[in-house]
Amino acid sequence: MLTTELTERLGIRYPIVGAPMAGVAHGALARAVSEGGGLGMVGVGSTDAAEMVEREGAIASDAGRLPFGVGLMAWALEDRPDLLQATIASRPRLVSVSFGPPGPYVGALHDAGILAAAQVPDLASAEEAERSGVDLVVAQGADAGGHAGEVGTLPLLQLLVESLRLPVLAAGGIGSPRGVAAVLAAGAAGAWVGTCLLASPEAANRPEARQRVISARETDTVRTSVFDVAQGIPWPPGFPGRALRNRFTDAWHGRERELAADSDAGAQLMEAKREADYDVAYIYAGQAVGLVSESRPAAEVVRRLGEGAEQLLRQRCRALLSRG
Ligand SMILES: Cc1cc2nc3c(=O)[nH]c(=O)nc-3n(C[C@H](O)[C@H](O)[C@H](O)COP(=O)(O)O)c2cc1C
């Protein structure tokens, strides 16, 4: 049995969190992760409706039977207090705030008996989050799928585990039992995984996207703002999104100013999204995409990660320490 502050505080079997992923991690995926023994999270994007949060939260919790979490974006909450209210009304165990300071939201979450997490890209943001009273911090490295900062998972995790008093989770590039074992051995209280769930049938993405995830190699991603620029989404600076490279990124990455002025490119992207044409439309995914080689139910992914990490840690510790 792997026991960490995360498994103890949340009462879950494995120290594994299914990352909130807007547009992909809705109620069905979150429920499957929690059924597998992890904590499933619902990802809420800047344009999602408040009703979506309550509906997907109800699916995730399976009428109160399962714990679940909700992931919010700090910069989106500034104009959308309804998303925070809907989140609190859906009664999650944990709420994460990413891509900006969590401070303004911690009090309301704690008043409702909800644990607060901050997903952060660097040490300064982590220290600010700790001062603002969150319960745990997620070290999100640049290897991660979706929007993230520029420091790699491993250096960031080491810094945060050394510097904070709070439990730290590791996010970014973890896609196999070895990855889970590595971050636990380094002092993380858990692994926060997104990309390795992108091919699971419970995900809210399209089957064509899942197939691309299965085919992609670890070298097939790029950190880019082009999809946000083309859609006019006001992401704060410093958070490009890691996505699968395609014709659109090849054409526009590095030419973001021109792209912003090109309304045809924006229209083309919207059309490609509707048609599931992923030579143009985006699939956000991290470098761990190279470890996803088939579509497995999310509960099975979580169990394999948890059981495999436990076995590896036993074997490696025995082998490494036996000659001492
Ligand atoms: C498709 C996708 C969408 C994401 N959307 C969100 C989001 O809405 N909120 C958030 O906090 N993080 C989001 N993330 C980042 C994850 O929370 C997490 O940091 C990341 O998936 C971990 O790295 P990995 O993808 O290598 O496992 C997203 C990631 C992906 C792949």
Side-chain angles (χ1 to χ4, degrees):
M1 194 78 177
L2 292 169
T3 306
T4 70
E5 287 129 308
L6 181 77
T7 59
E8 287 179 335
R9 286 200 81 166
L10 292 170
I12 54 178
R13 170 79 177 77
Y14 301 115
I16 292 170
V17 175
M21 297 187 280
V24 176
H26 286 172
L29 185 64
R31 181 174 61 195
V33 167
S34 295
E35 269 171 341
L39 181 79
M41 308 257 313
V42 174
V44 180
S46 58
T47 56
D48 281 324
E51 299 77 58
M52 168 274 189
V53 183
E54 295 193 34
R55 183 183 66 238
E56 299 302 323
I59 295 171
S61 81
D62 199 16
R65 188 175 64 88
L66 293 166
F68 75 102
V70 175
L72 301 169
M73 301 180 183
W75 61 269
L77 289 179
E78 285 167 22
D79 295 330
R80 296 285 312 275
D82 58 319
L83 291 178
L84 182 70
Q85 284 150 16
T87 295
I88 290 173
S90 72
R91 304 173 63 96
R93 296 286 293 281
L94 176 76
V95 169
S96 66
V97 179
S98 306
F99 316 125
Y105 315 107
V106 174
L109 294 172
H110 282 170
D111 287 349
I114 298 167
L115 294 173
Q119 181 164 236
V120 300
D122 54 40
L123 178 59
S125 315
E127 288 175 338
E128 185 184 344
E130 184 168 70
R131 281 194 299 275
S132 68
V134 298
D135 303 286
L136 58 93
V137 169
V138 184
Q140 187 202 32
D143 334 16
H147 296 78
E150 63 180 328
V151 183
T153 303
L154 210 44
L156 186 60
L157 177 65
Q158 294 167 79
L159 264 173
L160 266 51
V161 170
E162 290 289 333
S163 313
L164 303 185
R165 287 181 303 276
L166 288 173
V168 178
L169 271 58
I174 302 165
S176 78
R178 289 182 197 285
V180 177
V183 299
L184 293 177
W192 179 280
V193 300
T195 293
C196 67
L197 298 166
L198 290 178
S200 295
E202 300 89 347
N205 52 5
R206 309 268 282 259
E208 295 90 335
R210 283 181 224 147
Q211 205 46 53
R212 296 249 177 168
V213 165
I214 290 168
S215 307
R217 293 162 303 177
E218 76 283 10
T219 47
D220 288 340
T221 69
V222 59
R223 276 179 83 232
T224 185
S225 298
V226 294
F227 297 117
D228 298 325
V229 170
Q231 294 178 97
I233 303 178
W235 269 88
F239 293 106
R242 188 179 288 283
L244 296 188
R245 270 186 44 213
N246 63 9
R247 251 182 21 229
F248 198 82
T249 61
D250 288 349
W252 291 109
H253 185 59
R255 295 173 56 211
E256 287 75 5
R257 276 197 182 180
E258 275 172 79
L259 175 60
D262 190 323
S263 55
D264 285 352
Q268 208 186 24
L269 177 61
M270 296 319 284
E271 169 71 10
K273 274 179 69 176
R274 275 193 297 276
E275 299 295 321
D277 170 8
Y278 294 110
D279 287 337
V280 174
Y282 52 85
I283 297 175
Y284 284 111
Q287 293 176 329
V289 74
L291 292 158
V292 183
S293 56
E294 60 186 310
S295 173
R296 290 204 179 101
E300 191 186 318
V301 173
V302 170
R303 275 194 292 269
R304 288 170 82 109
L305 289 177
E307 293 297 325
E310 181 173 348
Q311 255 182 37
L312 276 165
L313 283 166
R314 279 187 205 290
Q315 287 162 6
R316 290 291 289 155
C317 289
R318 214 177 290 131
L320 290 166
L321 302 173
S322 62
R323 291 187 198 93

